[in-house]
Amino acid sequence: MTAHIIDGKALAEELRQGFKSRVETLTAKGHKPGLVVILVGEDPASQVYVKNKVNGCLAIGMHSEKITYDAAVDQETVLKKIAELNADPAIHGILVQLPLPKHFDEEKVLEAISADKDVDGFHAENVGALAQGNPRFIPCTPYGVMKMFEQGKVDLNGKEAVVIGRSNIVGKPMALLLINAGATVTVCNSRTRDLKFHTSRADIVVAAVGKPKFVTGDMIKPGAVVIDVGINRLQDGPDAGKLCGDVDYAGCLEVAGQITPVPGGVGPMTITMLLANTIEAAERKAGLR
Ligand code: GUN
């Protein structure tokens, strides 16, 4: 059996088309949605992500701007800018691209963003709301994965789900969303003893561990839904330089019931849900929700 491929690129495009009329309505009422993305340093991957975030906004008629700082900038300068943006009525979403340079206190920076403008969903208030099952902003990558489950008509209620990865950005919020949806959730990581014991029982596997081809076909239960959040660049071998997920796609394709590719899977959904969160923030401000 070959798995059904959940096409994140197509779903992302469909959703973004649907956002345009909401942006138009907001703009007509004087609430054009606006996102500011702050980038500190010159990490090449972060530069690409930030460019795509800003361009994604502009393509559907939103306002967006990037603010960049040298890696050596002091934290106070960034905190001052965040305070300004918190008070700016034209800005509905503020995102600080992670990771930050080592001299930053990441938590302090994220907590400085007003919870109402925290379109990443990383502020403690928003994390707490998600944990209580009453989310306000859902972190973009796991939010995108939930939309992909919807698209693939995956019923999560009562299912065994394994999340591999325990980051604040993906693993933990993903586990909370699955719990809220009624799944039985096991959270593993790269050091889990006998990972296969867990994954081979799972109806749903979400791999967010940052290790190329970590999940292989023999670890998957036939018919399982396999979601690949990884974006790794292969260092050597014949495919050096190519992108690859945390899942051995070719090996799992023959075993899984549904699977997401890399590229073209979860990646395009992350930015799409950032747009969704920013539009939602603007709609709240405009009294439309
Ligand atoms: N770095 C990697 N993923 C993300 C994300 O979703 N948001 C932010 N702010 N930084 C990231």
Side-chain angles (χ1 to χ4, degrees):
M1 188 180 78
T2 301
H4 167 71
I5 296 163
I6 307 178
D7 185 344
K9 196 166 167 225
L11 177 58
E13 192 44 47
E14 187 188 320
L15 290 170
R16 290 185 202 203
Q17 287 305 322
F19 293 161
K20 284 183 181 171
S21 60
R22 288 165 69 190
V23 173
E24 274 168 23
T25 303
L26 282 160
T27 305
K29 290 180 183 290
H31 296 278
K32 184 176 189 158
L35 172 74
V36 170
V37 184
I38 298 176
L39 174 63
V40 184
E42 280 92 42
D43 177 69
S46 291
Q47 283 177 330
V48 173
Y49 293 141
V50 166
K51 192 174 100 193
N52 290 341
K53 287 171 185 181
V54 172
N55 289 343
C57 288
L58 299 177
I60 60 164
M62 291 166 57
H63 167 74
S64 186
E65 56 192 285
K66 173 179 84 169
I67 299 176
T68 53
Y69 292 102
D70 190 88
V73 71
D74 62 301
Q75 181 165 291
E76 282 314 307
T77 304
V78 175
L79 291 176
K80 207 165 141 237
K81 176 53 74 179
I82 291 172
E84 258 173 50
L85 294 167
N86 282 341
D88 184 341
I91 301 305
H92 305 92
I94 304 167
L95 179 152
V96 176
Q97 186 66 25
L98 303 176
L100 285 165
K102 289 209 162 43
H103 64 281
F104 275 79
D105 177 344
E106 207 161 272
E107 195 184 324
K108 188 159 183 197
V109 172
L110 295 177
E111 293 307 299
I113 297 171
S114 160
D116 295 338
K117 298 191 179 188
D118 168 39
V119 286
D120 254 331
F122 295 163
H123 191 288
E125 221 176 274
N126 289 319
V127 175
L130 173 62
Q132 287 180 328
N134 190 20
R136 283 180 60 78
F137 289 116
I138 300 172
C140 305
T141 300
Y143 194 4
V145 173
M146 294 304 280
K147 287 282 169 197
M148 295 176 98
F149 287 139
E150 242 177 79
Q151 165 82 3
K153 299 195 168 34
V154 180
D155 179 14
L156 299 166
N157 203 10
K159 297 286 166 57
E160 289 285 338
V162 167
V163 178
I164 314 170
R166 53 177 164 162
S167 70
N168 290 338
I169 296 178
V170 184
K172 284 183 207 164
M174 186 76 251
L176 289 171
L177 286 164
L178 288 163
I179 289 168
N180 292 346
T184 303
V185 182
T186 305
V187 183
C188 300
N189 60 65
S190 61
R191 284 179 265 174
T192 295
R193 269 184 289 132
D194 199 356
L195 182 63
K196 186 175 169 181
F197 166 79
H198 298 283
T199 55
S200 59
R201 295 185 314 123
D203 305 302
I204 291 138
V205 175
V206 180
V209 71
K211 293 193 180 290
K213 301 188 184 183
F214 193 66
V215 177
T216 48
D218 62 308
M219 295 165 71
I220 296 299
K221 180 166 102 171
V225 179
V226 178
I227 305 287
D228 191 351
V229 178
I231 303 179
N232 309 290
R233 208 164 280 282
L234 290 171
Q235 299 295 334
D236 29 50
D239 290 333
K242 279 199 183 160
L243 282 186
C244 138
D246 291 351
V247 171
D248 173 17
Y249 184 73
C252 290
L253 188 64
E254 300 307 318
V255 189
Q258 301 202 53
I259 193 165
T260 64
V262 175
V266 176
M269 290 300 293
T270 294
I271 296 182
T272 302
M273 301 326 290
L274 172 65
L275 306 181
N277 279 345
T278 309
I279 295 168
E280 262 182 56
E283 286 173 344
R284 277 187 206 127
K285 171 115 187 297
L288 295 176
R289 41 170 75 229

